[in-house]
Structures are given as structure tokens and as C-alpha cells.
Amino acid sequence: ETGVTQTPRHLVMGMTNKKSLKCEQHLGHNAMYWYKQSAKKPLELMFVYSLEERVENNSVPSRFSPECPNSSHLFLHLHTLQPEDSALYLCASSQEGGEGYTFGSGTRLTVV
Amino acid sequence: GENVEQHPSTLSVQEGDSAVIKCTYSDSASNYFPWYKQELGKRPQLIIDIRSNVGEKKDQRIAVTLNKTAKHFSLHITETQPEDSAVYFCAANPGRRALTFGSGTRLQVQP
């Protein structure tokens, strides 16, 4: 276990569903991230939280909504997704400046 | 924003040969350059990193070099083994914040 846990590991959802991805880190890091990994864009940054405050949103559609209630937990709320949103969603945490970046195992999302 | 270019996209070598992967970055404020290895179905894992105040770093068969003036850095794997087969990603931290990753290099080591 690397210290970053993601659930669920696999998720299949319809385009009208609402679901949430969860990430938890036990490394004492103060920054957390969501990345999307697909064949088209291998590791695409979606959201950055530093000290529980969102500091970056890389023009992600509003159907993806992040939540960071504290420095150890990060959520990604999903609603009315499209089939092209099917991908591996990876959570990561680090110290400020990106050092010590550690990834979770990811959630394989399929939108049908 | 930061742009990290990585080459080649695929690389095939014979077991025992060396492999070199190259990356360039655009933001001169970047000061941290890690390399990640991702095996099929697994998460990316850090294999080596270098900070901007160092020109070269080595860890057994893996080494990384950094040229700040030219804004490029490279990963060198010597005496490659079949278990080195994976996708390798370089990264930089533009504005000293979140990592921006290269597009990845699929390395295949032929036994």
C-alpha cells in the first residue's frame, strides 16, 4: 500500500447517473490532485487542491465537481457524464511544489 | 502553461542494451523533474527525480541528466532487463506547483 487509497477500483455508470470517486492519503501531504488518464492524453491534470483550497482547475467540464473536506480526503463527484469521459481517474498527493508525488491505484470508469 | 515534450513515444531495445528517453520543458521556473514508471494495469511509480541545482543523478542502472540552459532532461537505463518493459513518464513542476507530465514512452525490452 503506497499510502494513497482510491475507491472504487472500477465503476460503470449510465449517462444520467450520479456517482462519486473517493481518495484518501495517509502520507501527511498538503496537496492533492485529480488526473485523467486515457489513450489520447496519458496524464491530464484536472484539479489541484493545496491546503484544502482549490488552486487550479484545468478547464474541466462542470459535470466533474471536486470536493476536498480536509487535507487527507478528496472526492470527485460525477453527473451526466459522456461516453468520452470513460478513462482511468488517478488521485495523487504530494508536498508543496510536487515533490513526493504518490499516486493511488486509480478508478477505471466506464460511461455507457 | 507548461509544455513537457517527451520522445520517443515507443522504444524497443535488446536485453542488455541501454535506453534513453528525452524530455524538454518550457517554464524556466520549474525546479523539480521526476520520472515515473507505469506497468500495465498499475499506478505510475516514482523511479528517480532530480532538482534544478543538480546536473546528474544516478541510482544503480538508472540515471537522469538535466540541462537547465537548454531546458531538457533525460532518463538513461543501462543493462536493460525484460522487467524494465513499461511506460515511462517524465514530469516538471511549472510555477513550482502541480506536475505536468510528458506523453509517455512505451519501452519494450526484447529478451
Side-chain angles (χ1 to χ4, degrees):
Chain A
E1 183 55 63
T2 65
V4 179
T5 305
Q6 278 187 252
T7 55
R9 294 293 299 273
H10 301 273
L11 178 62
V12 179
M13 60 186 288
M15 290 190 283
T16 57
N17 290 162
K18 286 185 180 181
K19 296 286 183 182
S20 295
L21 310 184
K22 179 182 176 182
C23 178
E24 187 173 355
Q25 62 99 358
H26 306 281
L27 300 169
H29 289 161
N30 52 22
M32 296 186 78
Y33 316 86
W34 281 114
Y35 281 83
K36 176 183 178 182
Q37 187 171 43
S38 61
K40 234 178 183 179
K41 292 187 178 181
L43 277 168
E44 183 182 5
L45 180 65
M46 299 176 72
F47 297 103
V48 179
Y49 276 85
S50 178
L51 298 171
E52 304 156 38
E53 181 183 338
R54 189 193 306 183
V55 296
E56 191 169 334
N57 170 356
N58 272 15
S59 303
V60 179
S62 59
R63 57 186 183 269
F64 295 92
S65 175
E67 178 189 0
C68 187
N70 54 61
S71 60
S72 298
H73 294 87
L74 185 65
F75 295 89
L76 187 63
H77 304 299
L78 317 170
H79 63 97
T80 59
L81 295 190
Q82 306 298 311
E84 59 264 30
D85 296 322
S86 298
L88 179 68
Y89 289 84
L90 287 161
C91 171
S93 70
S94 78
Q95 299 294 354
E96 284 289 329
E99 298 201 17
Y101 237 73
T102 302
F103 284 94
S105 297
T107 296
R108 174 69 62 184
L109 173 67
T110 303
V111 181
V112 298
Chain B
E2 173 71 290
N3 192 30
V4 178
E5 300 281 344
Q6 182 171 348
H7 300 281
S9 57
T10 60
L11 180 59
S12 182
V13 300
Q14 289 295 123
E15 183 176 357
D17 287 351
S18 294
V20 180
I21 303 170
K22 299 182 179 182
C23 287
T24 60
Y25 62 99
S26 58
D27 188 339
S28 57
S30 296
N31 67 347
Y32 177 66
F33 308 92
W35 286 87
Y36 284 79
K37 175 183 181 181
Q38 187 175 26
E39 296 177 62
L40 191 62
K42 296 189 177 180
R43 75 190 81 193
Q45 292 198 299
L46 178 69
I47 55 171
I48 195 167
D49 57 15
I50 192 167
R51 291 167 180 79
S52 59
N53 59 347
V54 176
E56 184 174 353
K57 183 177 178 181
K58 190 173 181 181
D59 182 5
Q60 297 181 31
R61 296 187 295 110
I62 295 174
V64 58
T65 58
L66 171 66
N67 182 328
K68 280 196 303 181
T69 304
K71 293 184 190 166
H72 65 71
F73 55 114
S74 301
L75 177 72
H76 304 254
I77 306 174
T78 58
E79 301 171 32
T80 53
Q81 300 166 5
E83 52 265 38
D84 293 330
S85 297
V87 179
Y88 291 81
F89 293 96
C90 63
N93 64 336
R96 303 189 177 183
R97 301 183 99 168
L99 294 179
T100 295
F101 287 85
S103 53
T105 296
R106 185 173 299 279
L107 173 65
Q108 188 159 8
V109 180
Q110 308 282 359

